[in-house]
Amino acid sequence: MLKNKIKYSFLFFFTGIISTINAQQIFIETGFESANFKNYVNNLGENTLDVNYTKSQEIFIEGGFRFNLRKNRLKCDVALSYNKYKINTGFYSGKISIPLTYNLNYVALKTGINFAIINELDFKLQVHGHISYDWLIAGTSSYKNVVNDLYRENTFDRTLLRYHRGISAEYIISNKISAYINYNVADSFKDKNEDSNIEEKYSLHTNAFSIGLLFNIQTTR
């Protein structure tokens, strides 16, 4: 129930931003992202995951609209993203760690703000904070040649509410286009898995590096 309330509040806020503000820019970015389960607890209150495996980098893509809130220094954006995660982990059987791999696909709605701590005519250094609501659209786990379809079997949380923070550097190429590089860290709010019978808790933690392009569609003031 709490997750549903948060979800609908987020969607209402997201829709309100789109319907009340005219965008000045559109953007598209892509990059590489790694993921792991942070602070995992199973239904017995124990952390049985081995997190000492190599992290995989997967490609993601994101696009959306950006709005100027104040003097091109404070901006708001709304976006849609597709994220694919491969999580290499393991679970302990006694003292033996058995390799376990998750392949997860999400689509997400995301909104937040960007603030330029350096705001020159041709260069911006920005910090950002965002909230996203993520839907699992496909997922499997595999170990010892056993593959489980997490989505069809409903044994994995299908929705996440995540908070993002990071830093980006933007270079203004012309009055029509800019390019930027971005670093982003995100964590999902830790709650009980409400979408399956496994009463586990965890936070999905991600690190991402990306490059993007901004296109001016209105004159900013």
Side-chain angles (χ1 to χ4, degrees):
M1 292 295 293
L2 178 60
K3 179 177 284 190
N4 286 335
K5 290 180 180 179
I6 294 174
K7 176 180 70 174
Y8 293 128
S9 297
F10 175 82
L11 292 176
F12 178 79
F13 177 71
F14 189 92
T15 304
I17 290 178
I18 294 177
S19 62
T20 58
I21 307 178
N22 292 322
Q24 283 84 35
Q25 296 174 309
I26 60 174
F27 66 90
I28 185 168
E29 70 177 84
T30 186
F32 292 91
E33 193 169 22
S34 65
N36 65 280
F37 296 118
K38 184 179 178 181
N39 299 325
Y40 174 86
V41 176
N42 66 13
N43 60 331
L44 299 177
E46 301 173 344
N47 185 347
T48 55
L49 288 184
D50 183 354
V51 297
N52 295 315
Y53 288 80
T54 302
K55 292 182 174 62
S56 294
Q57 300 286 334
E58 298 291 330
I59 295 176
F60 75 94
I61 187 168
E62 180 174 312
F65 300 92
R66 186 165 292 182
F67 316 98
N68 180 31
L69 298 181
R70 182 173 176 82
K71 298 180 179 180
N72 281 323
R73 180 180 290 272
L74 180 64
K75 296 185 178 183
C76 171
D77 57 48
V78 294
L80 178 68
S81 69
Y82 171 76
N83 305 79
K84 183 178 180 181
Y85 307 122
K86 182 178 181 181
I87 303 176
N88 299 313
T89 183
F91 64 92
Y92 288 102
S93 177
K95 294 183 178 180
I96 299 174
S97 177
I98 299 175
L100 172 64
T101 300
Y102 287 86
N103 286 283
L104 309 171
N105 296 334
Y106 286 90
V107 293
L109 290 175
K110 180 179 173 184
T111 186
I113 59 172
N114 299 267
F115 179 76
I117 53 179
I118 298 177
N119 191 34
E120 302 297 332
L121 290 177
D122 59 355
F123 177 78
K124 298 178 186 291
L125 183 66
Q126 302 172 108
V127 292
H128 60 261
H130 292 80
I131 292 288
S132 71
Y133 201 88
D134 301 45
W135 286 267
L136 181 73
I137 58 173
T140 61
S141 65
S142 58
Y143 69 96
K144 289 185 174 181
N145 297 320
V146 177
V147 179
N148 299 301
D149 190 318
L150 302 174
Y151 187 85
R152 290 185 179 180
E153 296 171 7
N154 199 26
T155 55
F156 197 81
D157 202 347
R158 292 188 178 182
T159 56
L160 297 172
L161 185 67
R162 301 203 297 153
Y163 58 98
H164 304 246
R165 60 274 190 203
I167 190 168
S168 65
E170 178 184 338
Y171 176 70
I172 291 79
I173 300 172
S174 69
N175 61 355
K176 293 293 184 180
I177 188 171
S178 302
Y180 63 91
I181 57 174
N182 184 53
Y183 173 66
N184 186 73
V185 179
D187 291 282
S188 64
F189 288 95
K190 187 177 180 181
D191 66 344
K192 184 183 293 185
N193 186 336
E194 298 178 359
D195 300 323
S196 75
N197 295 322
I198 304 174
E199 296 180 353
E200 59 185 0
K201 297 180 181 180
Y202 61 88
S203 175
L204 182 67
H205 177 82
T206 60
N207 287 274
F209 289 93
S210 57
I211 58 174
L213 293 174
L214 275 162
F215 301 92
N216 293 333
I217 56 178
Q218 289 187 15
T219 301
T220 58
R221 295 186 294 272

